[in-house]
Amino acid sequence: MKNQILASPNSIIWHYLSGLRRNCQRCINEKNPDYQKEDAAQCVMLSVTIVDAFLNLYFQVFVNTEKYNHAKDKFDSDLKRKISIDQKIKEWPKLIFGNQIDLGQGSAQRFYTLKNKRNALVHFSSSFERLNISNIVLNGLADISQYTSLTPQDAIDAVAATEDFMREVFRVSGTSEENIPHEMHLWAGTVSVKDMLNPY
C-alpha cells in the first residue's frame, strides 16, 4: 500500500469524535434553523458510525492479546463478514469478556434510541404521500417529519449517547469506575466535561 500511515488504533476515534463535537458546537451556534437541522442530522449519523468503528478497534486490541485470543478467530471472521453493529454489541462482550451489556436501560438504551433515529434518517425512503390542495393533486410526496423535527438538542444528545455508550463498553470489559475517565481520555481524545465534573 503506497503512502501507508500507521497510528495507534484509538487515533481514528479521536479524529471522528473531534469532528462530531465540532459539528455539534456549530449546530448549537447556528442561527439558521435549516442549517441546524442539517448539522444535527450529520451528528446523529456520524455518532453511530463512531460507535461502530470504536467497537471494531477496541475489541480488536483485546483479541490480539494472549488472555483473550480465544475469541480471535470468531472476531476476525465477524469483521470479515461485516456483521451488523447490533450483533457486535450483543455478541462480542460475551464472546471476549464473558459479560453482556444490559440493552434495556441506561446508556445502552439511549444509544439504541439514537441508532433508531439514525436509521430513520439514513434508510429514508419516500412514503409516496398524496396531497390535495383545492383542485391540485400532488402525488409521490415524502414524509420528512423525522428530519424536520431535528434540533440542536439532537446533536448534543448524539455526542452524549456516543460517549456514554463507550463508558458502558469499558465497564463490561472490567474497567473500574475510577479508571473510566482515563479510558475516555485514551479512546475519546479528551476528558469530557461529564468525567471532569463527576469522575467516579
Side-chain angles (χ1 to χ4, degrees):
M1 180 179 189
K2 291 184 178 179
N3 301 321
Q4 186 180 39
I5 298 173
L6 301 178
S8 59
N10 55 350
S11 64
I12 199 69
I13 306 302
W14 296 350
H15 290 299
Y16 288 170
L17 272 169
S18 175
L20 174 62
R21 293 181 187 117
R22 194 169 56 254
N23 204 11
C24 177
Q25 192 60 53
R26 184 176 66 203
C27 183
I28 293 167
N29 295 334
E30 180 56 60
K31 303 303 181 192
N32 184 316
D34 289 335
Y35 294 167
Q36 284 180 342
K37 288 173 177 50
E38 292 170 5
D39 288 342
Q42 290 176 31
C43 286
V44 169
M45 290 186 276
L46 180 56
S47 61
V48 178
T49 300
I50 290 170
V51 169
D52 200 356
F54 167 70
L55 294 172
N56 293 347
L57 294 164
Y58 184 72
F59 288 121
Q60 191 169 49
V61 169
F62 284 94
V63 300
N64 282 287
T65 64
E66 185 176 349
K67 182 177 179 181
Y68 298 101
N69 71 0
H70 63 273
K72 182 168 172 47
D73 289 345
K74 174 70 164 64
F75 177 86
D76 289 346
S77 172
D78 286 348
L79 277 185
K80 188 174 182 180
R81 291 186 299 118
K82 297 181 173 26
I83 66 169
S84 70
I85 188 171
D86 289 322
Q87 288 178 276
K88 294 172 187 179
I89 292 169
K90 291 173 183 173
E91 297 175 12
W92 286 356
K94 181 70 172 174
L95 171 70
I96 297 166
F97 304 121
N99 298 318
Q100 289 182 299
I101 296 173
D102 185 351
L103 303 178
Q105 62 179 356
S107 58
Q109 191 175 52
R110 288 190 297 277
F111 176 72
Y112 270 87
T113 298
L114 173 70
K115 190 175 76 68
N116 290 339
K117 187 173 292 188
R118 174 258 187 197
N119 288 348
L121 296 171
V122 171
H123 303 301
F124 181 84
S125 61
S126 176
S127 52
F128 217 78
E129 305 283 339
R130 170 180 286 187
L131 180 64
N132 293 312
I133 305 174
S134 297
N135 295 327
I136 301 171
V137 177
L138 300 174
N139 285 314
L141 299 176
D143 180 2
I144 62 168
S145 54
Q146 184 81 29
Y147 170 77
T148 58
S149 69
L150 292 171
T151 69
Q153 188 61 50
D154 289 292
I156 294 167
D157 292 345
V159 175
T162 300
E163 293 182 346
D164 285 346
F165 190 77
M166 290 174 70
R167 290 183 187 90
E168 198 60 36
V169 173
F170 298 142
R171 287 185 188 99
V172 83
S173 75
T175 302
S176 64
E177 287 299 317
E178 62 265 26
N179 283 325
I180 285 177
H182 303 298
E183 286 291 290
M184 284 300 292
H185 189 211
L186 176 66
W187 282 94
T190 186
V191 178
S192 73
V193 172
K194 180 174 183 174
D195 287 327
M196 286 188 291
L197 294 176
N198 184 21
Y200 310 128

